[in-house]
Amino acid sequence: MWQFRQARDVKLYDKFILLMLSAAGLFSIINLMEWWFQKKHIVNFPLFVILSTFFWYGIFRIILIWINYLGIRKPPTVPKPKDGLSVAIFTTSAPGEPVSMYEKTLAALRNVTYPHTTYLLDSTEDVAFKEVAEKYGAVYLDLANLPGAKAGKVNKALSMTTEEFILILDPDHIAFPNFLDQTLGFFEDEEVGFVQVSQGYYNQYRSFTAAGAAEQTYSFYGPTQMGLYGFGAAVAIGANCTFRRKAFDSIGGHAVALAEDLVTSMRIHAAGWKSVYNPVIVNRGLVPEDFGSFAKQQLKWARGVFEVLFVDYPHLFKKFTFWQKFSYGAISFYYFTGLMTFFFIMIPPLYFMTGIIPANMNFAEFLIKGTPIAVIALAIYLYAQKFLVHPQTEAGFHWRGMILKYSLWPIYFLAFILSLLNHKIPYIPTAKKAVIGSLTPFARPLIWYNIFFILSVILVFINRKYYVPESELLFTSSRTWGMIGFSILAFIQSTGGILAAMEAMRMKEEIPWEHIDVNNISTKIIKK
């Protein structure tokens, strides 16, 4: 974990293989499309339109991922930074965060080799944070009672400092000594506004939720960001990102929003600045360890991204490059998975209660047409894992991440509704330690769904055994059991989410950073 890592180089044959797989995938998609839109499949036209919109939106996102992988690129070299650059490192502290965590964060920042000044942007009004900052040579800035959460503190600190380059680092992240050596050299190009590096974690072993939360990010910080970089659209994630002060000045400072990092990235790109993505692990941080904390984090992010979709993205659209339009659009629509999942899981109950279905499609035919797409998509997914920054710990099927993504559909759906109502939610920092001892309320929708599913199956069985005429049983058998089979998939995934939530009731308390030795971090180059 505490070894410097970088993604493998991209070869010409890698792009050729991805191109051939993508072409085969597109051919299979066209084949499915010709079958899907046959007139005989339409039963209820409005529902068929909604079904087709959601289904083909998902397929379109897959196509975008494939195209993005065709642009996969890694900087050919990492330029050595010039001597004498003025550099600041900003990290923040908020009420409720453990002081002991800052012992590691600030000690690691003191070990960063390129000359810099570390600033602790504090809003706790707790003298212990001032003491720990002074202990490790950081400049303490008392920034309590400022509006704008993290972004408000960053903007105030920008007005109090003069450094030309600013690394913003989340307080739960432990930097490697060579961090700035991997970013500053790229700023020799005067058009570069920010340099983003990968993100790694050191607590994913703690729980199912922690492992799943980490799995959801591996591909993004590997081949996805490398593809975005190849198309000139690498995104700033806020944490682990080094900014040019002039880029901040050109957009009026760090954006203040729930999705503040995404909005900042969009504004910098819209102002004409370029970005660099260097796929290296030069620090590691934390992911949420319990289901409740992860759900809160995702609610904040989803609500913020919907705000981007409805407000920022349309406003900045004309200023983006061609691929930036697609990349930021894909990010802005990401959390529509909540609305889509709600629609798909309601199709079987709608049929059981009313007999209404959106389409009359033979499930076996759908499998025949759809299986090649699934197989090719899996092949591309696995091949692209060659470009994960630390494949030994990151490669795999990532099934826990998929279960978590499904299990949070009520959270994403709630965020969509809150966005439509323009209902604000507070900016709450993600918990740095597991919240243990009780079952989070965020698991209740999954429990309700499972109860509803079990009762539905029982009622369907009773109805078909005692009330449905025998002449009708054969006619409706395939459709009924197909719907139940479809619902079982949702039931299994909901059960996975419930078990992940229940894990917090029996977890043992642990301080993840307690045993980390910041003086034993290796910067030796390992290329995989």
Side-chain angles (χ1 to χ4, degrees), residues 76-87:
T77 59
V78 177
K80 182 179 179 181
K82 295 179 180 179
D83 294 334
L85 299 178
S86 58
V87 184

Side-chain angles (χ1 to χ4, degrees), residues 32 35-36 38 40-43 357 359-370 478-479 482:
L32 175 64
W35 174 83
W36 180 282
Q38 294 179 18
K40 65 180 182 180
H41 289 158
I42 302 174
V43 177
I357 58 172
N360 181 26
M361 298 179 183
N362 184 282
F363 188 67
E365 290 183 11
F366 174 76
L367 286 179
I368 293 172
K369 299 288 184 179
S478 176
R479 185 179 297 172

Side-chain angles (χ1 to χ4, degrees), residues 8-22 69-72 226 380 383-384 386-387:
R8 68 183 293 275
D9 294 334
V10 182
K11 306 296 184 181
L12 185 60
Y13 68 79
D14 292 319
K15 291 196 173 186
F16 177 77
I17 292 173
L18 289 170
L19 177 61
M20 291 299 98
L21 288 172
S22 299
Y69 285 168
L70 297 180
I72 199 164
M226 292 171 71
I380 294 174
Y383 191 86
K386 293 176 66 175
F387 305 103

Side-chain angles (χ1 to χ4, degrees), residues 101 115 180 338 456 494:
M101 181 176 70
L180 293 173
S456 296
S494 291

